Amino acid sequence: MAKIVPFKAVRPTRDKVCLVTCRSYEEYINAELAAQLDFNPLSFLHILKPAYSNQNTVSYEKRYKLVSQKYQEFKKELILIKDKKPSIYIHKIVTKTHSFTGIIVGTSIEDYRNNIIKKHEDTLAFRVRLLKEYMNYSEFNTEPVLMTYPDNKTIENWIYNCTQKLADFEFSTTKKEIHYLWKIDDELEINWIQGIFEKIKNLYIADGHHRSEASKLLSEENKDPENTAKDYLLSYLISENNIKIYEFNRLIKDLNGLSKEDFLQKLNETFIVEIKNQQPFQPIEKHQFGMYLDHEFYSLILKPEYCIFETALDSLDTQILYSKVLLPLLNIQDLRNDERIEYISGKQSILEVKRKIDEEEFEIGFIMFPSNIQEIKDLADANLVMPPKSTYIEPKFRNGLVIYEL
């Protein structure tokens, strides 16, 4: 059964929160990052990217120590303040198209170890080690792991009642999002919601597999029995139907030596192929694929005789494309590291796929139908792993809003 715990978060003061919080620094282009660091002395980016101008010459260990040092400076200057009582936090994010509301808590590393918290992605060992070292030196985490729980009317009603009160934080971002945060520190209320989650059999990681694995490693290496913070994982729990799952479309640089005619002939063996000319084709259901090749769109529909699957993985569209097209026809073996393949989030228009191919950066593109939460759960329940870049999942969080000290 799922265990959740409150914690004493470190947060920006109410008057500075909109200046402190930031997106993940990987989302900033260099000019935007430089502008933030040059003109906003309160940005959490100063903690994430200390001495940013000479990052290439600084060792990982030194960089992580600089992160910790800058974080302590922000606390000394009272830009960041630690809450006095263990709390749980309700965080609502309103974008131009969606509204997400979830609970920020600590979840149990033991639950993760025992598969009560379930995963559906592989992790890279080197990236896990780097994240573990980062958390070890910085002694904080500000990026919650996104986890889903089954729709629950009791939790939904409780969240609704809590969010009718004045929020502790309410601010807008340059991305035209509105963020709200409510702090719940009443002990009886916390005990009650903990009891509700104890009745939930499983939580499912939607985004944050590397952070989860790094936190497990950090917990296993913890030599201080009094430091129980490392036994828990900063998490954002959200109803499974309140997340938004986008596809990742595929771009390939060449046809692996095949002519266009030969490639289409081979596709016809497995798919019903229909040319759409200049009409963009967006799949509307599973086992449909869009394709753009030589200035023309195509629809691909998996033939019925190939729609018999043994496992949840076999029925996944990204796996079908890999096993029927990318591997046997285009010789793309390693979806994560092959330099001939790139990915575009489904948040971008499929016309971006067309543009990149028309400009001859790539020769062919595939447009996917997004996966759904049930597919993710089925894979996790069967201990199977999604192919890389199968999903782009929202909400995404801002660094520096709620900080969990380790």
Side-chain angles (χ1 to χ4, degrees):
M1 305 300 107
K3 180 179 182 180
I4 64 169
V5 297
F7 62 99
K8 297 178 183 178
V10 176
R11 300 183 291 143
T13 55
R14 187 182 180 92
D15 62 314
K16 298 181 180 68
V17 62
C18 62
L19 294 171
V20 173
T21 65
C22 65
R23 309 194 305 276
S24 170
Y25 71 77
E26 295 169 347
E27 293 184 28
Y28 292 89
I29 61 173
N30 288 337
E32 191 180 12
L33 182 64
Q36 284 284 327
L37 291 165
D38 287 340
F39 300 111
N40 181 4
L42 299 178
S43 174
F44 202 80
L45 286 168
H46 287 285
I47 294 173
L48 299 176
K49 274 295 217 188
Y52 72 97
S53 60
N54 63 345
Q55 283 294 293
N56 293 332
T57 62
V58 177
S59 68
Y60 285 122
E61 182 178 338
K62 186 174 181 181
R63 187 186 307 173
Y64 299 159
K65 286 180 178 177
L66 287 170
V67 168
S68 178
Q69 180 182 322
K70 196 68 181 177
Y71 174 66
Q72 294 303 326
E73 287 177 13
F74 267 50
K75 288 179 69 177
K76 283 181 183 176
E77 294 172 8
L78 302 182
I79 299 167
L80 301 172
I81 297 176
K82 189 168 188 173
D83 287 333
K84 291 182 171 59
K85 294 175 65 177
S87 307
I88 59 181
Y89 305 84
I90 298 174
H91 184 200
K92 181 177 181 179
I93 306 168
V94 180
T95 71
K96 286 181 275 189
T97 54
H98 296 93
S99 177
F100 308 99
T101 306
I103 311 165
I104 301 176
V105 295
T107 55
S108 169
I109 295 292
E110 192 66 24
D111 283 355
Y112 175 77
R113 208 176 277 122
N114 293 332
N115 213 30
I116 292 170
I117 296 173
K118 298 203 171 193
K119 47 192 176 290
H120 68 271
E121 286 185 9
D122 263 340
T123 54
L124 300 173
F126 81 91
R127 190 175 168 196
V128 169
R129 284 196 302 273
L130 285 178
L131 277 170
K132 187 268 294 181
E133 289 301 311
Y134 176 85
M135 290 190 285
N136 186 46
Y137 281 106
S138 67
E139 298 184 316
F140 71 81
N141 183 14
T142 186
E143 290 191 67
V145 173
L146 178 62
M147 299 185 192
T148 67
Y149 57 83
D151 288 353
N152 185 301
K153 200 68 179 175
T154 302
I155 298 174
E156 182 183 330
N157 290 338
W158 174 74
I159 289 176
Y160 174 80
N161 290 331
C162 290
T163 55
Q164 298 312 295
K165 303 169 188 173
L166 182 67
D168 290 67
F169 289 159
E170 177 182 350
F171 64 96
S172 298
T173 73
T174 55
K175 290 289 184 181
K176 297 182 180 178
E177 299 173 344
I178 306 173
H179 290 254
Y180 303 86
L181 190 78
W182 292 265
K183 181 178 72 170
I184 312 297
D185 60 8
D186 180 80
E187 202 170 322
L188 289 176
E189 196 167 4
I190 290 171
N191 290 339
W192 177 81
I193 197 65
Q194 285 177 310
I196 299 298
F197 273 94
E198 283 174 4
K199 298 173 185 175
I200 293 175
K201 185 179 179 182
N202 294 109
L203 301 173
Y204 291 82
I205 298 175
D207 191 26
H209 288 79
H210 285 88
R211 275 165 277 153
S212 302
E213 193 65 20
S215 295
K216 185 190 85 166
L217 198 58
L218 189 67
S219 173
E220 291 169 350
E221 295 179 4
N222 180 27
K223 294 181 173 61
D224 181 3
E226 293 186 6
N227 184 350
T228 59
K230 289 187 172 73
D231 296 332
Y232 297 93
L233 174 63
L234 179 66
S235 305
Y236 183 90
L237 309 185
I238 188 168
S239 172
E240 62 187 26
N241 286 327
N242 192 207
I243 62 170
K244 176 62 180 174
I245 304 175
Y246 295 92
E247 70 279 11
F248 268 109
N249 297 318
R250 275 81 169 123
L251 292 166
I252 316 296
K253 292 193 174 179
D254 59 69
L255 292 180
N256 190 35
L258 293 170
S259 68
K260 173 185 171 182
E261 291 73 21
D262 287 343
F263 179 71
L264 289 172
Q265 184 177 350
K266 289 179 180 293
L267 278 183
N268 269 295
E269 296 173 9
T270 311
F271 299 90
I272 300 168
V273 180
E274 182 181 347
I275 189 168
K276 298 291 184 179
N277 297 311
Q278 291 301 304
Q279 179 185 349
F281 179 75
Q282 184 90 46
I284 59 171
E285 61 183 12
K286 277 175 64 68
H287 309 333
Q288 284 186 355
F289 305 84
M291 185 175 78
Y292 187 69
L293 171 65
D294 192 24
H295 305 287
E296 293 177 316
F297 284 96
Y298 296 80
S299 71
L300 311 179
I301 300 175
L302 189 66
K303 290 183 175 179
E305 57 265 36
Y306 293 101
C307 292
I308 301 169
F309 309 106
E310 292 185 4
T311 69
L313 177 61
D314 293 337
S315 70
L316 204 66
D317 279 354
T318 49
Q319 180 66 16
I320 290 168
L321 186 71
Y322 174 70
S323 63
K324 303 295 186 189
V325 181
L326 300 185
L327 179 60
L329 304 186
L330 299 179
N331 195 30
I332 302 287
Q333 300 184 36
D334 187 340
L335 291 172
R336 198 185 295 274
N337 298 311
D338 196 310
E339 293 181 353
R340 294 170 55 227
I341 185 169
E342 288 189 16
Y343 305 90
I344 296 182
S345 158
K347 286 196 73 175
Q348 297 187 57
S349 168
I350 62 173
L351 295 180
E352 181 65 12
V353 173
K354 178 181 184 298
R355 183 189 68 79
K356 285 180 173 286
I357 293 169
D358 287 346
E359 292 179 359
E360 300 184 354
E361 292 182 55
F362 300 90
E363 189 164 354
I364 188 170
F366 295 96
I367 300 146
M368 310 299 294
F369 183 72
S371 296
N372 58 57
I373 187 62
Q374 192 59 51
E375 289 179 312
I376 290 174
K377 291 173 67 176
D378 288 346
L379 283 164
D381 288 339
N383 295 314
L384 295 171
V385 174
M386 271 188 164
K389 295 293 185 182
S390 288
T391 57
Y392 178 91
I393 300 179
E394 289 185 337
K396 300 295 184 187
F397 306 105
R398 292 183 73 79
N399 288 310
L401 179 63
V402 173
I403 302 163
Y404 180 81
E405 292 195 321
L406 298 161

